[in-house]
Amino acid sequence: MAYGKMKEFLQNELKTVKQAGLFKEERYILGPQAADINVEYPAGAKPQEVLNFCANNYLGLSSHPEVMKASREGLDKWGFGMSSVRFICGTQDLHKTLEKKIAQFLGTDDAILYSSCMDANAGLFEALFTKEDAIITDKLNHASIIDGIRLCKVPKERRKIVNHADMADLEAKLKEVRDGGARFVVIATDGVFSMDGDIAKLDQICPLAEKYDALVMIDDSHSTGFMGKTGRGTHEYRGVMGKIDIITTTFGKAMGGASGGCTAARQEIVDMLRQRSRPYLFSNSLCPVVAAATVRVIDILSATTERRDKLEENTRHFRKAMTDAGFGIVPGDHPIVPIMLYNAKLAQDMSRDLYFEGIYVIGFFYPVVPKGQARIRVQLSAGQEREQVDKAIAAFTKIGKKYDILGKTKDEIIEKYGL
Ligand SMILES: *Cc1c(COP(=O)(O)O)cnc(C)c1O
């Protein structure tokens, strides 16, 4: 009965998580992902219509009729499954088409598909960097970058964690690894950091990379499809297209939102990943249905900027109206809008009240964000109409009044609610 002991241990652990108020519950959506959804929450309760302000469905393409049509056509033409990894018999012309299109869209030589961006990051560093090399990584990078770095053979002393967005620290770390005689150096950063919606300072990172002879890798999962004037990503937004050596990204957010990801990079890097990258070698690629729909998404986004323009307009409107209403929000341009509340219980209570006002948002608190920085994270979408955004603003204002936080400073909110 080996499990007897473990069972007791796990039960106690789970109880501790629950008592700390950190237990994550799922809310069931009864239908397609969209701006307005029917949700059963709590489990077993009567379903309720709510407006969704917490999806990564930035361009409203998750249930877009054209995207769904392309996936049905994909099913008819290419079948359902591949029953093989790419290098045995799991590559269709469709996969090559998608790789060419995403590389062209992102402005890189080539691209290699993965079944997720998590896999793209997991299979990146180990395949390219080894004992003599160095990796410099932002402190707030996504878990999948952290895990990818953990899997590679770059030694601890040449894995440098840089204070978030701190260019002086970045330069100091570059100097250290260069003085230490590192062979290849790569700077790894999220394009957009998902908790604050802030954007990597690529316009400063790239010149530093050049000065210290380092490569630049970005994970643009929260940008591909909508950041920058034509939606190519943070490299377009920061004016450094062509200067980024490696871009990893997901198709599971703005790009239709199903699943899949890729590494788009310089030719030899992609070629080598096809030889050495373990998630690529040992795991199936995207299924044809998803690949076909993602091809259509790229076609739609290449033809018109209408959707990213609408997202930008919704974001601008929401950010301004919420600031005018007296909320403290982290400033910026990104459709991730953190409404700062500092206190974890306040964030949780307000998000619950908002749910019953028909607005689906989630409170984030420790350990997802640092202690004392609890917030509600709102995400805008091109799938939302102006009146839906206005409904959210009205609901926030009503609940903000109830908790008496409108126009209050950080210190005043902390004084009232504690940390
Ligand atoms: C969402 C996200 C991922 C994971 O993407 P999947 O394709 O769902 O695995 C990776 N990196 C970043 C920065 C993300 O935001």
Side-chain angles (χ1 to χ4, degrees):
M1 275 307 283
Y3 185 57
K5 260 196 267 175
M6 187 175 187
K7 182 182 168 99
E8 198 182 324
F9 171 79
L10 292 179
Q11 283 176 339
N12 282 331
E13 288 282 293
L14 287 164
K15 207 162 84 190
T16 311
V17 175
K18 273 187 191 152
Q19 279 166 353
L22 301 174
F23 194 79
K24 291 178 198 64
E25 279 173 3
E26 294 177 343
R27 305 181 181 192
Y28 307 136
I29 300 180
L30 313 175
Q33 183 63 280
D36 51 345
I37 49 177
N38 199 20
V39 180
E40 180 188 318
Y41 173 75
K46 187 168 164 285
Q48 195 185 325
E49 292 287 335
V50 291
L51 297 177
N52 192 353
F53 280 85
C54 56
N56 300 313
N57 184 16
Y58 294 113
L59 294 170
L61 292 172
S62 300
S63 306
H64 189 279
E66 260 189 74
V67 178
M68 287 165 67
K69 182 161 167 270
S71 75
R72 279 188 214 103
E73 289 167 1
L75 182 64
D76 290 340
K77 185 160 180 198
W78 284 285
F80 176 67
M82 289 312 297
S83 304
S84 172
V85 299
R86 288 284 297 273
F87 83 94
I88 300 178
C89 57
T91 301
Q92 290 168 316
D93 52 342
L94 177 63
H95 293 103
K96 293 314 293 180
T97 303
L98 177 53
E99 285 176 339
K100 282 206 189 96
K101 285 205 186 244
I102 190 67
Q104 191 180 25
F105 187 77
L106 298 176
T108 60
D109 294 342
D110 200 355
I112 170 175
L113 301 178
Y114 289 88
S115 56
S116 67
C117 185
M118 180 95 196
D119 271 356
N121 287 332
L124 178 70
F125 300 97
E126 190 212 26
L128 298 174
F129 303 102
T130 183
K131 289 193 183 78
E132 306 96 80
D133 304 322
I135 301 176
I136 303 187
T137 175
D138 188 283
K139 193 171 180 179
L140 296 188
N141 275 347
H142 190 262
S144 57
I145 298 181
I146 296 170
D147 286 4
I149 294 171
R150 278 185 186 145
L151 290 170
C152 82
K153 293 205 170 61
V154 170
K156 272 222 164 62
E157 64 274 15
R158 280 207 291 274
R159 295 181 196 177
K160 301 284 185 191
I161 299 170
V162 177
N163 292 330
H164 177 54
D166 182 340
M167 293 302 114
D169 194 32
L170 173 61
E171 179 154 20
K173 300 277 159 43
L174 281 164
K175 247 192 204 122
E176 271 176 49
V177 297
R178 273 285 159 242
D179 291 348
R183 181 183 60 164
F184 305 133
V185 178
V186 61
I187 302 167
T189 181
D190 280 21
V192 168
F193 294 85
S194 62
M195 285 304 132
D196 284 331
D198 62 318
I199 300 157
K201 300 171 183 166
L202 299 174
D203 50 330
Q204 297 173 53
I205 291 173
C206 287
L208 280 173
E210 214 154 291
K211 184 170 169 192
Y212 292 93
D213 197 18
L215 303 177
V216 181
M217 172 268 175
I218 60 174
D219 176 342
D220 238 359
S221 291
H222 280 286
S223 328
T224 300
F226 60 94
M227 291 305 288
K229 276 210 160 10
T230 64
R232 309 301 154 127
T234 54
H235 55 332
E236 183 182 32
Y237 179 91
R238 291 292 192 203
V240 294
M241 279 189 86
K243 297 201 171 148
I244 305 297
D245 301 285
I246 303 167
I247 301 171
T248 62
T249 192
T250 185
F251 304 135
K253 291 188 168 105
M255 307 293 282
S259 65
C262 72
T263 299
R266 310 232 182 249
Q267 190 63 58
E268 296 76 12
I269 290 177
V270 173
D271 290 346
M272 190 49 83
L273 290 174
R274 278 190 217 285
Q275 303 307 311
R276 297 244 181 97
S277 182
R278 292 168 71 85
Y280 177 84
L281 294 173
F282 297 111
S283 182
N284 279 11
S285 194
L286 306 194
C287 63
V289 166
V290 173
T294 309
V295 166
R296 184 66 55 86
V297 166
I298 298 169
D299 286 344
I300 293 172
L301 301 182
S302 305
T304 167
T305 60
E306 209 176 290
R307 302 192 80 80
R308 56 91 45 216
D309 295 346
K310 186 174 171 199
L311 172 61
E312 190 171 70
E313 191 42 45
N314 279 349
T315 300
R316 197 178 300 136
H317 175 63
F318 182 80
R319 281 179 172 276
K320 181 173 187 312
M322 289 291 283
T323 306
D324 291 349
F327 285 99
I329 67 177
V330 178
D333 290 337
H334 197 271
I336 290 173
V337 186
I339 318 293
M340 296 308 296
L341 300 167
Y342 313 104
N343 175 283
K345 187 166 184 302
L346 178 62
Q348 218 171 5
D349 289 348
M350 280 185 64
S351 63
R352 192 182 307 110
D353 284 7
L354 282 158
Y355 179 81
F356 292 109
E357 294 290 326
I359 305 300
Y360 186 178
V361 285
I362 295 281
F364 285 71
F365 39 87
Y366 183 81
V368 180
V369 293
K371 278 199 171 117
Q373 289 192 35
R375 72 212 39 207
I376 290 175
R377 185 180 76 170
V378 174
Q379 288 171 286
L380 281 302
S381 168
Q384 292 155 351
E385 297 309 324
R386 175 61 79 96
E387 60 268 21
Q388 295 176 317
V389 178
D390 284 338
K391 212 180 145 201
I393 295 162
F396 262 102
T397 308
K398 179 176 167 188
I399 300 303
K401 270 191 196 131
K402 172 177 165 185
Y403 288 91
D404 191 25
I405 57 157
L406 296 184
K408 297 285 192 288
T409 64
K410 174 179 177 180
D411 289 346
E412 286 167 339
I413 294 175
I414 293 173
E415 195 182 337
K416 191 171 163 80
Y417 289 97
L419 272 186

